[in-house]
Amino acid sequence: MKKYKHYKQSFLASLLMTSALLTACGNSTGTSSNMNIPIIPIAPTNELATQVFKNGQIYTLNEQQEWADAVAIKNNKIIFVGSNSEVNNYVGADTNITDLNGKMMMPGFHDVHMHPIESASENTQFRIDVNEQNPENFISIIKKASQDNPGSGWLIGYGHSIFTLLDATRSPLNIIDEAVSDRPVIIMEQTSHSMWVNSVALSLVGFTKETPHPKGGRILRDESTGALNGILIDNAGNIAMDLAMAPTTESLSKDYDGLVNFTLPELAKHGITSISDARSFWQRDDHKTWLKAQENKALTARVSVGLWAYPSADDIEQLTDLKALYTNNSESYLRFNQIKLYSDGIIVNATSAMLSEYNLDLIGIPQNKGLNYFTQARIEKYIKALEPAGFDFHMHAIGDRGIREALNAVENVGSEQGRHRITHVEIIHPDDIPRFAQLNVTADAQVAGDFTNPEHWHENDELIGNARSDNAVPIKSLDEANARITLSSDWNVSPFNPFIGLQNAVTRVPQELTLAKAIKAYTLNSAYVMRQEDMVGSIEVGKLADLVVLDRNLFDIEPNTINQTQIMITIFDGQVIYQK
């Protein structure tokens, strides 16, 4: 590249000289009017920066220049990365200079799996305690929530553990009906993979004893009588929540307020400059909330939206609707260029898709091997239809069968165009680990939640046995097999503070990453899955200035203290959007 630049400059200089000579000759011979050789001015060697950061420990993620002392920025682009002495060539009278005083600077963090609208919206009106083990104690809380949010519309809550309901001494439906019986109530379980509803809600959704189980879901019933017990598993719960969350002017206002006034400022505070919305319910008008934020110039992060593929939708209609929502303008902060679909459910519900059956049946399926929201054949249908339109697939798969089927789908119909990923990757059959690299499928892992740490792995022994519980979220094995790994939060299941995720990633022996690889998973690798690695994700000349300054150098501290790190400055697109 250096040789090319030198050749280009020499060529331009020769061109200028030739042009001048021809012009001079033309003045005497009259032949210059036939010559179309332009005089091209040569740009000055150095540009003047609008901002300079110097005296820092700048971790670039550029393999050719891993560390630097200083960075120069012109407007929103990086124009220099190098030494303190050399950066002075870019300083003019109007350059703003920041002395980092030895602080660490690095690229802005990416969180490529989070729920930035639904996790902050006040459309969820109350919370109940995930640690409460007696559901009878929820009655007074639900009653009070109804009093605090009067009216006949849906009362929406969040927070319990499904096991609290499954272990109840009487029907969960009777308990919630005792709390509120004159309006529909729906409470999302802490993992978001089940809903607790009352009789009014069941009636509005149209679920009865005779209703067949929907794709990817289960309507739980009393084992003896067949009566509904108020628990809706996976997609059965989603169907009810879609009705509860049907968009209104008020609900959209609350979504927007939560996104703009809570989520985005908190992301900036934690150094996160790019995100993927991992489940955008476009039938609830989530996409309109994003578009409004863009129109109002309120976005302080680069956003790739994962449009939700509804399991119960008609394929022809849904594929048409999804194609119509696609946008991928690289100059925009907002792009609708990903599809989010679920291959399966989760282990604790016994709904993640497994190659061998569960040891316990929680959902009324003999020889249960879990559920499919989308079968392999249907995933293939969607990839075949939407990948050529430009979409990348963000596929939820937790069980070894779900992961294998998602990989099979990419292998069977995907092309080199796709940048698909499988998220969660909790239980992977050893035979499938090398397939991630072979198929260019990114493994998107969440380790910010303590429940993914090795000391919690065997809490699932009762469901899937010791052998399958061991080695959950095997990021080291994936890395050793050359898989591209991204780290994300799944907020609000886990905190989005990237330093919690980094600490857990490097300390979860035997499935840990080195610090350098964990940082790359949160930056450059994630930029790749967002199709913006040519713009951000590392600190290099020509890239956009999405940068963060930390209060300590992550490479100089004990790994078990990484979570104490604080963001001092967050720079997004050349502008300071947070300063401690």
Side-chain angles (χ1 to χ4, degrees):
M1 183 60 74
K2 288 181 179 178
K3 288 183 179 178
Y4 169 75
K5 286 182 178 177
H6 175 73
Y7 168 78
K8 185 177 179 182
Q9 289 178 349
S10 299
F11 172 77
L12 288 172
S14 299
L15 188 63
L16 278 170
M17 185 176 294
T18 303
S19 180
L21 287 170
L22 286 170
T23 302
C25 291
N27 287 338
S28 59
T29 64
T31 59
S32 66
S33 60
N34 297 322
M35 297 294 182
N36 262 338
I37 302 177
I39 297 178
I40 304 174
I42 299 176
T45 303
N46 294 330
E47 299 179 80
L48 294 181
T50 50
Q51 295 184 80
V52 160
F53 295 86
K54 60 190 306 184
N55 298 322
Q57 300 180 67
I58 299 171
Y59 186 57
T60 68
L61 278 98
N62 176 4
E63 293 181 355
Q64 308 304 315
Q65 184 188 21
E66 192 174 27
W67 291 92
D69 302 321
V71 170
I73 301 168
K74 183 176 182 180
N75 299 322
N76 67 342
K77 284 194 175 180
I78 298 168
I79 60 172
F80 171 80
V81 183
S83 69
N84 286 322
S85 58
E86 290 176 299
V87 79
N88 292 327
N89 295 325
Y90 297 82
V91 175
D94 296 325
T95 303
N96 182 39
I97 302 173
T98 299
D99 190 333
L100 295 175
N101 293 310
K103 295 285 192 298
M104 181 177 175
M105 174 182 272
M106 60 173 284
F109 288 100
H110 289 54
D111 190 331
V112 292
H113 183 139
M114 67 175 341
H115 303 284
I117 292 179
E118 59 183 303
S119 296
S121 175
E122 289 188 0
N123 287 317
T124 300
Q125 298 150 318
F126 70 101
R127 289 175 177 264
I128 54 180
D129 187 1
V130 68
N131 297 311
E132 176 59 65
Q133 297 182 13
N134 184 358
E136 303 287 347
N137 293 332
F138 291 139
I139 293 174
S140 60
I141 298 170
I142 300 168
K143 278 184 176 179
K144 184 176 187 305
S146 185
Q147 293 167 359
D148 292 342
N149 298 273
S152 59
W154 284 84
L155 182 66
I156 303 171
Y158 168 81
H160 61 286
S161 164
I162 190 173
F163 295 106
T164 300
L165 302 186
L166 293 176
D167 294 339
T169 56
R170 62 175 175 143
S171 169
L173 183 61
N174 292 339
I175 295 172
I176 195 170
D177 278 349
E178 182 178 328
V180 176
S181 61
D182 59 349
R183 63 188 296 193
V185 181
I186 185 167
I187 307 175
M188 178 185 288
E189 186 253 339
Q190 193 267 341
T191 69
S192 84
H193 280 261
S194 72
M195 308 291 171
W196 182 22
V197 295
N198 67 355
S199 293
V200 180
L202 288 170
S203 177
L204 287 173
V205 180
F207 287 167
T208 68
K209 290 173 60 175
E210 290 73 34
T211 302
H213 300 290
K215 292 178 182 177
R218 299 287 291 178
I219 304 168
L220 294 198
R221 297 168 168 87
D222 183 272
E223 293 180 2
S224 302
T225 66
L228 304 187
N229 70 1
I231 301 175
L232 304 177
I233 297 290
D234 279 278
N235 191 45
N238 292 340
I239 291 170
M241 187 60 84
D242 282 337
L243 188 60
M245 290 283 196
T248 65
T249 301
E250 182 182 6
S251 72
L252 291 176
S253 177
K254 288 180 178 179
D255 284 347
Y256 182 84
D257 182 67
L259 174 65
V260 171
N261 295 319
F262 178 80
T263 300
L264 290 172
E266 283 297 304
L267 294 178
K269 181 179 178 180
H270 289 86
I272 298 169
T273 54
S274 289
I275 61 170
S276 289
D277 184 341
R279 187 175 57 198
S280 183
F281 294 108
W282 47 278
Q283 291 185 4
R284 301 182 196 171
D285 286 349
D286 280 0
H287 62 299
K288 293 182 179 179
T289 297
W290 283 119
L291 290 168
K292 182 179 178 182
Q294 179 187 46
E295 181 182 350
N296 292 344
K297 301 187 185 307
L299 293 178
T300 53
R302 303 181 198 281
V303 183
S304 287
V305 175
L307 298 168
W308 175 241
Y310 288 85
S312 301
D314 174 79
D315 287 339
I316 294 176
E317 293 179 3
Q318 177 157 247
L319 289 169
T320 300
D321 290 339
L322 291 170
K323 287 178 184 178
L325 291 170
Y326 175 81
T327 65
N328 192 39
N329 180 0
S330 62
E331 296 182 1
S332 172
Y333 295 158
L334 176 66
R335 291 181 284 174
F336 296 91
N337 61 350
Q338 297 180 0
I339 298 295
K340 177 64 180 292
L341 63 74
Y342 280 14
S343 170
D344 62 0
I346 59 173
I347 294 172
V348 296
N349 282 2
T351 56
S352 61
M354 306 300 292
L355 293 168
S356 300
E357 63 190 62
Y358 283 87
N359 298 335
L360 289 178
D361 175 30
L362 299 180
I363 56 175
I365 302 178
Q367 292 84 50
N368 177 34
K369 293 184 180 180
L371 299 178
N372 281 105
Y373 279 64
F374 276 73
T375 62
Q376 178 184 318
R378 198 171 178 213
I379 295 173
E380 290 179 10
K381 181 178 184 178
Y382 274 63
I383 292 177
K384 191 173 182 179
L386 296 176
E387 185 190 86
F391 282 109
D392 296 317
F393 277 69
H394 182 184
M395 295 176 282
H396 165 118
I398 287 179
D400 49 14
R401 178 169 64 85
I403 292 168
R404 176 168 293 179
E405 290 171 353
L407 290 169
N408 289 347
V410 175
E411 182 173 23
N412 290 344
V413 300
S415 72
E416 292 183 357
Q417 174 182 331
R419 297 191 179 187
H420 309 309
R421 58 190 155 126
I422 298 176
T423 191
H424 301 310
V425 292
E426 289 188 18
I427 309 297
I428 311 178
H429 191 281
D431 291 348
D432 291 318
I433 287 177
R435 298 179 69 199
F436 282 83
Q438 293 164 6
L439 298 171
N440 191 35
V441 172
T442 299
D444 179 40
Q446 297 81 41
V447 297
D450 288 342
F451 64 91
T452 66
N453 287 340
E455 61 266 27
H456 295 284
W457 287 353
H458 292 287
E459 292 172 1
N460 289 319
D461 284 1
E462 188 178 23
L463 283 168
I464 60 175
N466 179 280
R468 286 188 291 177
S469 293
D470 203 42
N471 248 14
V473 196
I475 52 177
K476 184 175 182 179
S477 298
L478 287 160
D479 175 65
E480 291 175 342
N482 297 316
R484 181 186 305 101
I485 297 171
T486 56
L487 293 174
S488 56
S489 68
D490 197 14
W491 180 66
N492 63 356
V493 174
S494 300
F496 56 61
N497 182 341
F499 300 112
I500 296 175
L502 281 174
Q503 177 170 314
N504 286 357
V506 302
T507 58
R508 60 191 309 273
V509 179
Q511 286 294 348
E512 82 283 7
L513 295 177
T514 66
L515 178 58
K517 289 182 177 180
I519 291 174
K520 188 176 182 180
Y522 261 119
T523 53
L524 196 54
N525 285 355
S526 292
Y528 175 88
V529 302
M530 289 182 65
R531 292 189 178 268
Q532 58 185 31
E533 79 281 3
D534 59 331
M535 299 190 299
V536 293
S538 62
I539 303 177
E540 301 181 55
V541 172
K543 287 196 172 185
L544 300 175
D546 289 4
L547 311 168
V548 291
V549 179
L550 319 184
D551 68 347
R552 66 200 73 188
N553 190 324
L554 299 176
F555 291 90
D556 292 342
I557 61 177
E558 292 297 320
N560 61 1
T561 65
I562 291 174
N563 66 357
Q564 300 171 24
T565 305
Q566 298 289 314
I567 294 290
M568 305 301 292
I569 302 173
T570 300
I571 301 158
F572 172 66
D573 207 31
Q575 300 295 318
V576 174
I577 59 170
Y578 171 77
Q579 190 157 4
K580 186 173 174 66

